Amino acid sequence: MKKTLLILSLFLFFKTAEAQDSSVEKSVFGAQVGFLGVWVHNELRLSNQIALRAELGFDSGIWGGSFYDKTGYVFTPVITAEPRWYFNLNKRKSKSKRIDGNSGNFLSLKTSYHPDWFVISNYENISIISDLSIVPTWGMRRNIGKHINYETGIGLGYRRIFAKSAGYLKDENDLALNLHLRIGYRF
């Protein structure tokens, strides 16, 4: 039994040492645009495969139809903290694929807050109700050249809408969908 535990321990030690060849970058700073927003972000390395992404930007929305005088749009600030686990860096590196700029597949826990600070819109007197969402997400980032990248992700999670602060009787819970496709520039 002791020999089996010793062999298993040595195997895990060498496998862990081997798995630490590839690593996320110490810090990645960039800007991204997507169909419904614009964001700046910074990713800080927490471990060889985990980075903490901090993001500040504007999410947007579009509405229209015969009920409205004109098609409307809204931009509202969003603050996001997102730990990301880049789980396939070693596999990409072993196949001679790029991992610079944290290029790889990831699992994350995207936590976003939309404060009711201000709104940019073509309609007057528009406001939003603050909300907080927590969405487990699968995604991937790839590089095009040295500075350009694209990123996609999908996830379904929880959203808390702070309706009481806007004068309603109670706060509400809802499903949150994270579906994004972005193109970005890495500085």
Side-chain angles (χ1 to χ4, degrees):
M1 182 68 173
K2 288 181 182 180
K3 287 181 183 179
T4 305
L5 284 175
L6 178 63
I7 291 171
L8 183 60
S9 298
L10 287 174
F11 174 77
L12 289 174
F13 173 77
F14 287 116
K15 201 64 174 161
T16 303
E18 176 186 311
Q20 294 180 2
D21 292 341
S22 304
S23 178
V24 296
E25 291 195 18
K26 187 174 183 179
S27 179
V28 176
F29 180 72
Q32 294 179 323
V33 295
F35 176 64
L36 293 173
V38 59
W39 309 268
V40 294
H41 68 272
N42 187 35
E43 288 188 18
L44 295 173
R45 178 176 58 204
L46 299 178
S47 72
N48 285 346
Q49 294 184 339
I50 298 174
L52 179 61
R53 179 183 177 106
E55 183 176 85
L56 183 62
F58 289 97
D59 284 347
S60 63
I62 301 171
W63 67 90
S66 59
F67 183 73
Y68 299 99
D69 295 337
K70 58 186 173 184
T71 300
Y73 66 84
V74 64
F75 288 94
T76 183
V78 61
I79 302 166
T80 302
E82 180 179 12
R84 288 184 171 185
W85 171 43
Y86 288 92
F87 59 86
N88 73 332
L89 296 179
N90 290 322
K91 183 177 178 181
R92 288 184 59 78
K93 190 172 181 182
S94 72
K95 292 183 177 184
S96 299
K97 294 184 179 181
R98 295 176 62 181
I99 63 168
D100 60 308
N102 297 346
S103 180
N105 297 1
F106 60 86
L107 293 174
S108 72
L109 191 61
K110 184 174 184 175
T111 306
S112 299
Y113 176 64
H114 292 96
D116 185 18
W117 291 342
F118 63 91
V119 173
I120 301 169
S121 179
N122 61 340
Y123 275 81
E124 292 184 24
N125 300 322
I126 297 285
S127 65
I128 65 155
I129 299 174
S130 298
D131 68 49
L132 178 72
S133 62
I134 301 171
V135 182
T137 300
W138 171 89
M140 61 186 264
R141 179 189 298 146
R142 298 294 186 265
N143 293 312
I144 305 169
K146 186 174 181 178
H147 296 284
I148 306 296
N149 60 58
Y150 65 93
E151 183 175 302
T152 186
I154 186 167
L156 187 64
Y158 168 79
R159 181 171 75 153
R160 178 75 170 181
I161 303 166
F162 302 111
K164 284 175 77 174
S165 65
Y168 293 91
L169 293 177
K170 62 179 184 172
D171 292 341
E172 294 185 18
N173 300 318
D174 202 358
L175 285 177
L177 175 67
N178 176 22
L179 180 62
H180 70 266
L181 178 61
R182 301 175 176 183
I183 188 160
Y185 185 86
R186 179 172 49 123
F187 297 101

